Amino acid sequence: MAAEVGVTRGACGHWEQGKTTPSVENLARAAGVLAVRFEWLATGRGVRDYDPAGVDERPERYIPAPVILNREERELLAVLSRLPPGCRSRLVEFLRSIPASVLS
């Protein structure tokens, strides 16, 4: 998650341990990565799961323009977040193994 949010693993560890608090920008990015609602992640209140079809809680409302994900990217993250950790890791490894020439 740290890499996807754009912070160090240590920073995530400090957030989890309550040693530091993430910025609103990093919290919004984390909500998008985890496919949970920003309000729930920030406060623990409300509905946890982000619904891509919903219009009331879009992560892009909180994420600066360079980090806004397109529809396919949001759908991919939503599916990825529902996979068991082992499957998630294998899928990420597979995607990283795709040759750069195919990605261009």
Side-chain angles (χ1 to χ4, degrees):
M1 182 180 93
E4 294 176 69
V5 172
V7 298
T8 65
R9 289 173 55 192
C12 281
H14 285 148
W15 300 342
E16 291 171 351
Q17 296 167 12
K19 292 181 179 178
T20 61
T21 304
S23 67
V24 171
E25 180 179 275
N26 285 335
L27 199 58
R29 288 180 178 146
V33 167
L34 298 170
V36 298
R37 292 174 60 132
F38 177 83
E39 177 186 12
W40 178 84
L41 188 60
T43 67
R45 294 188 309 257
V47 177
R48 183 189 79 168
D49 296 325
Y50 166 67
D51 177 6
V55 294
D56 62 331
E57 183 68 16
R58 297 177 313 245
E60 59 267 23
R61 288 180 42 204
Y62 305 100
I63 300 175
V67 184
I68 293 176
L69 304 175
N70 67 36
R71 182 173 161 244
E72 288 176 329
E73 291 167 331
R74 288 191 310 270
E75 288 176 12
L76 181 60
L77 286 174
V79 170
L80 185 67
S81 71
R82 290 191 300 267
L83 292 174
C87 291
R88 190 179 313 158
S89 297
R90 287 191 296 276
L91 179 58
V92 170
E93 287 174 27
F94 167 74
L95 293 171
R96 287 184 178 143
S97 73
I98 297 173
S101 60
V102 174
L103 301 174
S104 302

